[in-house]
Amino acid sequence: MGFAGAMVVAMAVDALLGWPAWLFARIGHPVTWLGGLIAAIDNAWNRASEPPALRRAAGIAGALAVIALSVAVGWALQSLLPSGWVQIVLIGILAWPLVALRSLHDHVAAVATPLLAGDVAAARDAVSRIVGRDPASLDDAGIARAAIESLAENASDGIVAPVFWGALFGLPGILGYKAINTLDSMIGHRSERHEAFGWAAARIDDVANFIPARLTGFLFVLLAPQRSEALACMTCDARRHRSPNAGWPEAAMAGGLGVRLSGPRIYHGSITNEPWLNEGARDPRAADITEALTVYRRAMLLVAGVLAILAFA
């Protein structure tokens, strides 16, 4: 239960400070360090001249190596810390950069503010920083939809999932999870280059996020303005999503706000026909981003409160 207390510390520090720009400029960020390692392995081991079976085997080896190294670093750091309350606080401080609580809120709020003011160009620019779809193709509803989807999905894999694994296993758990999530973000794509090499990264990420995604969905159900609609939409539509996990928080948020999410979108000039979540509902507006942020804040407070009870009761 001490690890639960450490995650409360990590969430509190991140909520207060985020990851300051001056600190990023000086030392980067643990995720960028992981990204550098993954990029180096991708460049060295993912050879287009090799057959798919060998590229898949190389991807498995590379993913396991990154995860094992991250867990080992977490275990080594944790083993050096003194016991008791000092250990809880220090683990929380070391875990702080791995909890994107404030960053996610600020990035989504940066979309809502100009969209509420009618500045569509600024809202497109802001949303392009958090999603991969073509911003020029997005109207007001598309911008709002993209921001809400990003908030819902990243609440799960950016906060709930790392905190979940950190509460269970401390620094090895949270560092191991961030390695898994970063691997998936960088190489877990169904592209020509990564279809085989990134296969293991995508599958491992699916497993690691299975429980946290569903927990996040139920958090949104509990705290959404329309709870029964959120539960109905989550249970009916979550499995329609292309991801086995992201559909749970996104569908819960769609039902809870009374809007439709997902649906067709444009990536690199090509239309991707994704199914709708809460299809019969209206399109989201700028005010719905603000409402989604309120649900998000309440959910994160509830997570911190439950962890505090587990740690200190």
Side-chain angles (χ1 to χ4, degrees):
M1 292 301 101
F3 294 150
M7 294 304 105
V8 175
V9 173
M11 293 179 74
V13 175
D14 187 72
L16 289 171
L17 301 178
W19 190 249
W22 65 266
L23 189 57
F24 182 84
R26 291 192 176 189
I27 66 171
H29 187 276
V31 172
T32 64
W33 307 340
L34 278 168
L37 174 61
I38 294 165
I41 291 175
D42 186 24
N43 290 331
W45 295 7
N46 187 10
R47 298 172 184 149
S49 59
E50 300 286 356
L54 285 180
R55 294 176 77 179
R56 178 176 287 197
I60 293 171
L64 292 178
V66 172
I67 296 165
L69 177 62
S70 300
V71 170
V73 169
W75 178 84
L77 288 172
Q78 193 163 282
S79 67
L80 294 173
L81 300 178
S83 59
W85 290 105
V86 175
Q87 182 190 57
I88 292 173
V89 172
L90 291 177
I91 289 175
I93 292 172
L94 290 171
W96 150 43
L98 307 174
V99 180
L101 191 88
R102 181 163 181 166
S103 175
L104 176 58
H105 182 280
D106 290 351
H107 276 89
V108 175
V111 179
T113 301
L115 195 60
L116 284 165
D119 190 345
V120 177
R124 283 179 179 148
D125 179 67
V127 84
S128 71
R129 302 173 191 272
I130 58 174
V131 298
R133 64 199 71 173
D134 295 343
S137 67
L138 299 176
D139 56 10
D140 289 27
I143 294 168
R145 186 179 301 117
I148 295 169
E149 289 170 14
S150 180
L151 177 66
E153 180 179 0
N154 286 293
S156 175
D157 59 23
I159 300 97
V160 175
V163 164
F164 174 82
W165 292 109
L168 287 178
F169 302 112
L171 286 177
I174 194 169
L175 275 168
Y177 173 77
K178 291 305 289 188
I180 291 168
N181 189 242
T182 308
L183 280 160
D184 180 64
S185 297
M186 293 186 65
I187 65 173
H189 309 296
R190 291 182 176 177
S191 62
E192 183 178 352
R193 176 169 177 78
H194 292 121
E195 179 74 30
F197 189 78
W199 175 85
R203 301 292 83 73
I204 295 169
D205 184 77
D206 288 344
V207 173
N209 281 296
F210 185 88
I211 295 174
R214 286 149 182 81
L215 287 175
T216 307
F218 280 106
L219 282 170
F220 291 162
V221 168
L222 287 173
L223 300 167
Q226 303 176 38
R227 295 178 187 175
S228 60
E229 290 84 351
L231 180 60
C233 185
M234 184 178 71
T235 54
C236 292
D237 287 356
R239 293 175 181 83
R240 303 180 66 203
H241 198 281
R242 68 187 183 281
S243 165
N245 294 317
W248 291 81
E250 287 188 28
M253 187 68 83
L257 299 178
V259 301
R260 63 176 184 169
L261 298 178
S262 195
R265 71 278 309 276
I266 299 176
Y267 291 104
H268 310 295
S270 300
I271 297 177
T272 301
N273 288 310
E274 301 290 346
W276 290 102
L277 303 177
N278 205 25
E279 184 172 6
R282 62 175 174 81
D283 283 323
R285 300 184 287 263
D288 295 307
I289 306 176
T290 302
E291 189 65 47
L293 284 166
T294 299
V295 175
Y296 166 77
R297 289 192 296 268
R298 290 172 179 168
M300 296 307 104
L301 283 170
L302 181 57
V303 170
V306 169
L307 289 172
I309 291 170
L310 291 174
F312 306 124

